[in-house]
Amino acid sequence: MQDMLHAFPAEGQWDLLVEYGLHERFSAQWVDIEDVGEVARRLRVDPESATPCDFQTAMRSYAIGDGTMLVWIGEHAPGWSHVLTLSGASTPWKAMEALSAGRRRVLDAFCIEDIGHLQELLYSYDGACIGNVCPPYLGGTVEVAEYDAYATGLELADGMGTAELFERFLCMAGRITGRFIDREWFSSTRTLYRIPEESWSD
């Protein structure tokens, strides 16, 4: 992992989100669990809904606006899985607790471009939200100190727009997990699941 401390992606992370139509709304988690099936179980997906597919197929598989929560889950890097929410609500906090239970790490990122809404890159561990691991402003430090070393060269500045800020958030996530978002990430076969509304209604 040491070689990722100061790494930069081969292609801009935001540029890839734009190319693949994810920049208008992006909601995702990087989960410190390599077993994708375990990630799905913790999210209380409907196992009967499991559909292995590539990204393009996943994007065609939901009706926009019907409220169904669909997630595309797959391997990310050694030791890590990735959850991309394609439709429906953002991942409920109780689900975040479940994903990080048992001393697991979870990074959670959310962006709605048209209103410039960015959720900080939240870091959860062992069932609790610890803080954010966004790069700091120049002269500052990362809120979760153990990740400060990953922020070199990603420092924020006043006046940055949504795209530039989120690019740096995604670079930080890539450094921590050992992999940036790339074209292979989009072309890989992962599993599309439906999360029933009642799964997290309690």
Side-chain angles (χ1 to χ4, degrees):
M1 190 71 71
Q2 289 297 315
D3 59 341
M4 290 296 292
L5 278 175
H6 307 125
F8 288 92
E11 292 189 77
Q13 303 293 272
W14 183 263
D15 291 341
L16 285 171
L17 296 191
V18 171
E19 181 175 340
Y20 287 91
L22 288 177
H23 62 294
E24 294 181 352
R25 181 186 183 276
F26 182 86
S27 177
Q29 292 79 43
W30 294 257
V31 185
D32 177 24
I33 299 174
E34 193 160 6
D35 182 348
V36 174
E38 174 63 16
V39 173
R41 286 189 291 274
R42 291 187 182 212
L43 281 175
R44 302 181 186 174
V45 302
D46 172 7
E48 298 299 320
S49 70
T51 306
C53 62
D54 60 13
F55 175 75
Q56 287 78 11
T57 302
M59 288 291 282
R60 292 194 298 267
S61 298
Y62 68 89
I64 297 175
D66 72 353
T68 300
M69 187 172 182
L70 291 177
V71 292
W72 192 53
I73 306 175
E75 298 176 356
H76 177 69
W80 291 85
S81 296
H82 192 272
V83 179
L84 178 67
T85 300
L86 295 177
S87 70
S90 300
T91 305
W93 172 241
K94 288 183 180 179
M96 296 295 296
E97 291 178 329
L99 287 174
S100 63
R103 299 183 178 181
R104 299 296 186 172
R105 295 172 291 166
V106 177
L107 302 176
D108 180 37
F110 182 78
C111 174
I112 300 179
E113 184 196 20
D114 60 354
I115 61 173
H117 176 72
L118 294 174
Q119 174 181 287
E120 297 173 323
L121 186 61
L122 294 179
Y123 170 67
S124 296
Y125 176 73
D126 201 21
C129 183
I130 306 301
N132 80 67
V133 289
C134 298
Y137 282 85
L138 195 61
T141 57
V142 176
E143 185 175 308
V144 182
E146 64 188 281
Y147 292 106
D148 196 54
Y150 291 87
T152 302
L154 299 177
E155 291 83 3
L156 309 182
D158 292 336
M160 285 183 173
T162 300
E164 193 170 5
L165 286 169
F166 207 58
E167 171 76 20
R168 294 178 186 226
F169 291 7
L170 293 176
C171 284
M172 192 72 173
R175 287 180 176 184
I176 292 170
T177 61
R179 182 186 182 184
F180 299 112
I181 295 173
D182 52 35
R183 293 184 182 278
E184 184 180 349
W185 190 90
F186 284 102
S187 64
S188 64
T189 297
R190 301 178 178 219
T191 305
L192 184 70
Y193 291 99
R194 173 181 175 270
I195 300 180
E197 185 177 351
E198 61 271 18
S199 287
W200 298 102
S201 60
D202 54 353

